[in-house]
């Protein structure tokens, strides 16, 4: 249905964990502000209350969201991808530039994965090397050859959205450049519906990643 909300950028959390580390996040389609806030709360809590620098993609309704999805997967650089690239650049400068030794840990969910791929085209190779990308249920698997320092794709085996790119899904299975980790079990519930970021499957992934982040 109809939903009107402007694109929003900002940060959510209790502060940065140190001067040289930042966390960013971009969501996928069909998100309203209340559900996006739940995602921010989940992610920040898993990382010890650390700030999450976010780009909020508000839904424009099912039809327009799906049309944008098709365009973005064919390489259209959306306003959200441009804002993500600008956010990365600002954070890199905040941490001392490409020679400052900073690190960005970037999370993307659903269509946010395709936006992340397109945003990378707006960065220099040196800037990309400062970013560790973690996708969850991405509509487009992110491969290491794009130039990020590391990429990891987490995919629930009961998530239908990654199937929207069947060629990419097959490559993710067989090609090591995609560094894909399949999670969950077919015994956990109905197939094809395990896509929400706050599902038990992806919540467990975020919890484990947050624990490793705090340890490091």
């Amino acid at each position: 249905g109809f939903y009107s909300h402007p694109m929003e950028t900002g940060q959510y959390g209790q502060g940065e964990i140190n001067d040289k580390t930042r966390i960013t996040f971009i969501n996928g389609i069909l998100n309203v502000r209340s559900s996006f806030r739940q995602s921010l709360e989940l992610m920040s809590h898993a990382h010890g209350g650390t700030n999450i620098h976010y780009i909020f993609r508000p839904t424009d309704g099912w039809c327009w969201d799906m049309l944008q999805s098709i365009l973005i997967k064919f390489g259209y650089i959306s306003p959200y991808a441009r804002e993500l690239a600008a956010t990365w650049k600002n954070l890199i400068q905040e941490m001392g530039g490409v020679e400052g030794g900073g690190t960005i840990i970037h999370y993307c969910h659903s269509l946010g994965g395709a936006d992340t791929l397109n945003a990378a085209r707006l960065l220099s190779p040196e800037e990309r090397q400062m970013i560790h990308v973690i996708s969850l249920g991405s509509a487009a698997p992110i491969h290491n050859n794009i130039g990020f320092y590391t990429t990891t794709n987490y995919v629930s085996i009961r998530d239908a959205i990654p199937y929207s790119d069947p060629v990419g899904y097959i490559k993710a299975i067989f090609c090591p450049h995609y560094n894909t980790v399949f999670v969950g079990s077919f015994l956990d519930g109905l197939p094809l519906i395990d896509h929400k970021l706050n599902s038990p499957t992806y919540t467990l992934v975020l919890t484990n990643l947050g624990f490793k982040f705090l340890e490091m």
Side-chain angles (χ1 to χ4, degrees):
F2 177 77
Y3 181 80
S4 179
H5 194 288
M7 177 175 66
E8 181 181 320
T9 62
Q11 63 185 42
Y12 178 92
Q14 301 170 12
E16 308 297 350
I17 196 163
N18 58 46
D19 292 336
K20 296 296 183 182
T21 307
R22 298 292 183 268
I23 301 175
T24 58
F25 171 57
I26 185 169
N27 63 291
I29 66 170
L30 297 175
N31 269 252
V32 297
R33 190 65 181 80
S34 57
S35 60
F36 181 71
R37 183 177 176 83
Q38 291 175 3
S39 297
L40 290 176
E41 290 173 348
L42 168 64
M43 192 166 293
S44 180
H45 178 74
H47 293 75
T50 304
N51 281 347
I52 309 298
H53 298 265
Y54 63 82
I55 291 83
F56 171 43
R57 164 199 292 281
T59 183
D60 291 313
W62 171 264
C63 293
W64 183 236
D65 278 10
M66 293 307 294
L67 177 59
Q68 286 191 87
S69 300
I70 295 169
L71 294 174
I72 289 168
K73 290 178 74 172
F74 276 99
Y76 164 62
I77 300 179
S78 72
Y80 311 104
R82 294 185 184 279
E83 190 63 31
L84 175 59
T87 298
W88 283 337
K89 286 176 178 291
N90 289 337
L91 293 175
I92 287 171
Q93 290 306 309
E94 185 180 298
M95 293 186 293
V98 293
E99 302 295 333
T103 296
I104 294 175
I105 299 172
H106 173 66
Y107 289 95
C108 51
H109 177 235
S110 191
L111 188 61
D115 271 327
T116 297
L117 276 171
N118 291 336
R121 294 158 55 189
L122 305 177
L123 302 183
S124 69
E126 293 78 13
E127 289 170 331
R128 287 179 221 163
Q129 275 293 296
M130 298 178 69
I131 303 172
H132 300 255
V133 174
I134 299 165
S135 80
L136 301 134
S138 177
I142 302 171
H143 52 83
N144 287 328
N145 293 342
I146 198 69
F148 292 121
Y149 191 78
T150 63
T151 61
T152 307
N153 300 284
Y154 289 91
V155 176
S156 168
I157 58 178
R158 295 189 299 111
D159 187 346
I161 297 303
Y163 291 119
S164 65
D165 182 0
V167 174
Y169 195 90
I170 292 172
K171 287 181 178 179
I173 295 173
F174 296 104
C175 180
H177 290 302
Y178 285 91
N179 194 25
T180 302
V181 180
F182 291 93
V183 293
S185 167
F186 287 114
L187 302 178
D188 291 337
L190 295 172
L192 306 179
I193 64 169
D194 192 27
H195 183 63
K196 286 187 176 183
L197 190 62
N198 63 353
S199 73
T201 304
Y202 290 129
T203 295
L204 181 60
V205 171
L206 280 172
T207 300
N208 289 336
L209 290 173
F211 181 76
K212 291 178 181 178
F213 168 82
L214 294 172
E215 274 194 325
M216 291 174 64

